[in-house]
Amino acid sequence: IIKTQWPHYQGIWSFGSTLDQVILVVRNPRWAIPSFHNILSEVDYAQDWLSVFEHIDDVFTKRAPLPNWIKWRDLKLDEELDLWAWHIDYYMEDGQQYWDDLDYERVGESPFQFRTEDMKPWPKDFHCIYDIDCMPKEVISYEKLRNYETGPNELRKIANTFRGKKAMTVLSNEAVDCVWFETFLKADARQNDDRDETSLERTQYGLTNAQTQKIVDKLYNMKNKYSQSQFSNMTAATALVEIFDEYIVELEEELAVLNVNPAPTPVPNPNYHDELVSWYAALAGGSRYEISKVQNMRGYWPLVKDLYNNTVG
């Protein structure tokens, strides 16, 4: 079993064609996005593997400074929400590739951009053609997997996908409960909750009314999409719709509280977005496709140099 964030830009396809099925784990974007930002903060916003590895022992130790969360949220929330949805679509639609072939980082940064709806049908990622069947055999709720009452049953769903596989021995359904509780209570590996001892509570990492509404709208869009007749015979789609319904209830409750007690409205600043872009560029080391970097990539530069015509002297 291998965990991967692929095709998100922080994920890698490290397993070639050694696997043969997918289990899709879904988390509420309301909490998945700030949790992702915490990891970025813990690795000092590094963009390459070697730099990330220098901070690997800091992961799951401390939430980001609140001012950094607010800036990053205001700059990146829309994009990360799209990526959250596209991640699900990628697997549910067997490898829909939302990034350009030459955008090897899969970040949609200049000179590239992510594909849009009017460009559909999108091409299929070659990994889902040659390496693995990308359609999920099961969909797991992250929240249910970590819940005392529902966790064992979610783990049982994972175990059942392995039953009958060649050269694999799977514990009985009765033993799964024991495995879940022993693992959850006694596992040595660090996890999200370890940040509680060193940081602000996760509820302090809030959203504006408009941002919360955007997440609600995205959840409704995803629910409506996977409720369509073309997905009616897919158990994975049915599971997703049930999960989206739970997320919608949670977010609408949060939105109701925000509407009664809205966050203070900041003083209008027409330069705010540009200031955020400059702030993040300084923090994360600039664009992943800086011309000076790309020009030194002998096999790659000839393929993309025309895209830089407006900026190359």
Side-chain angles (χ1 to χ4, degrees):
I1 302 175
I2 296 177
K3 174 187 174 184
T4 181
Q5 281 77 37
W6 180 275
H8 189 274
Y9 58 84
Q10 291 288 47
I12 58 173
W13 192 282
S14 61
F15 39 87
S17 56
T18 60
L19 304 181
D20 64 0
Q21 65 180 11
V22 170
I23 298 172
L24 180 63
V25 180
V26 179
R27 187 179 185 187
N28 190 333
R30 166 62 182 91
W31 304 110
I33 292 173
S35 181
F36 171 58
H37 176 250
N38 287 331
I39 292 178
L40 289 180
S41 176
E42 288 164 334
V43 300
D44 199 26
Y45 299 91
Q47 294 188 5
D48 63 272
W49 169 244
L50 288 177
S51 299
V52 168
F53 194 76
E54 291 177 2
H55 300 279
I56 201 69
D57 290 335
D58 298 324
V59 174
F60 296 127
T61 61
K62 189 176 183 179
R63 294 189 176 98
L66 195 56
N68 281 13
W69 157 246
I70 293 171
K71 291 177 182 178
W72 185 87
R73 172 201 76 183
D74 291 351
L75 177 64
K76 292 286 191 177
L77 181 74
D78 288 358
E79 177 183 298
E80 291 297 335
L81 186 57
D82 283 339
L83 288 168
W84 175 86
W86 290 336
H87 185 93
I88 294 171
D89 291 342
Y90 173 87
Y91 288 102
M92 290 297 295
E93 299 184 51
D94 201 19
Q96 275 206 125
Q97 185 177 310
Y98 56 82
W99 65 95
D100 187 277
D101 287 334
L102 293 173
D103 181 6
Y104 63 89
E105 296 273 13
R106 304 181 306 285
V107 291
E109 290 182 2
S110 179
F112 307 107
Q113 62 181 5
F114 291 126
R115 291 190 165 98
T116 58
E117 288 295 316
D118 59 7
M119 294 179 181
K120 285 189 171 179
W122 295 346
K124 186 172 180 176
D125 182 13
F126 74 92
H127 287 302
C128 299
I129 299 174
Y130 301 109
D131 292 332
I132 192 173
D133 175 9
C134 288
M135 295 289 289
K137 299 300 183 289
E138 188 59 86
V139 173
I140 300 297
S141 162
Y142 172 89
E143 291 78 13
K144 287 183 177 179
L145 184 61
R146 289 178 50 81
N147 182 279
Y148 279 84
E149 295 182 357
T150 57
N153 193 53
E154 289 297 289
L155 182 59
R156 191 171 290 110
K157 288 163 64 176
I158 295 174
N160 287 340
T161 64
F162 300 125
R163 298 195 188 282
K165 297 292 182 182
K166 184 178 180 181
M168 294 191 73
T169 302
V170 183
L171 292 174
S172 68
N173 273 328
E174 294 75 16
V176 169
D177 292 69
C178 178
V179 170
W180 186 91
F181 278 99
E182 288 297 304
T183 302
F184 189 80
L185 295 174
K186 298 181 180 180
D188 293 330
R190 290 193 300 270
Q191 56 171 309
N192 280 317
D193 294 345
D194 292 339
R195 298 181 176 123
D196 292 343
E197 298 179 2
T198 61
S199 313
L200 295 172
E201 293 183 2
R202 69 171 191 160
T203 54
Q204 297 295 309
Y205 294 77
L207 305 168
T208 66
N209 299 46
Q211 290 166 344
T212 306
Q213 185 64 61
K214 284 182 179 180
I215 297 181
V216 171
D217 293 343
K218 179 69 75 175
L219 289 168
Y220 271 112
N221 288 340
M222 295 294 283
K223 173 188 174 180
N224 292 337
K225 175 175 182 174
Y226 289 106
S227 297
Q228 294 176 11
S229 58
Q230 68 195 83
F231 298 104
S232 59
N233 294 323
M234 293 177 59
T235 56
T238 301
L240 277 175
V241 169
E242 292 176 357
I243 292 171
F244 295 151
D245 274 332
E246 293 170 359
Y247 294 167
I248 288 169
V249 169
E250 180 181 352
L251 266 294
E252 287 187 333
E253 289 176 354
E254 182 172 348
L255 186 60
V257 173
L258 284 172
N259 287 334
V260 174
N261 301 291
T265 303
V267 176
N269 178 2
N271 300 316
Y272 184 53
H273 179 76
D274 291 340
E275 291 172 359
L276 292 179
V277 171
S278 297
W279 166 80
Y280 195 63
L283 196 65
S287 170
R288 296 178 184 235
Y289 293 115
E290 290 283 356
I291 295 175
S292 58
K293 172 185 175 182
V294 176
Q295 285 177 324
N296 290 324
M297 302 170 69
R298 294 183 180 180
Y300 183 68
W301 174 244
L303 301 175
V304 300
K305 64 180 181 179
D306 289 343
L307 301 177
Y308 290 83
N309 279 343
N310 293 330
T311 53
V312 177

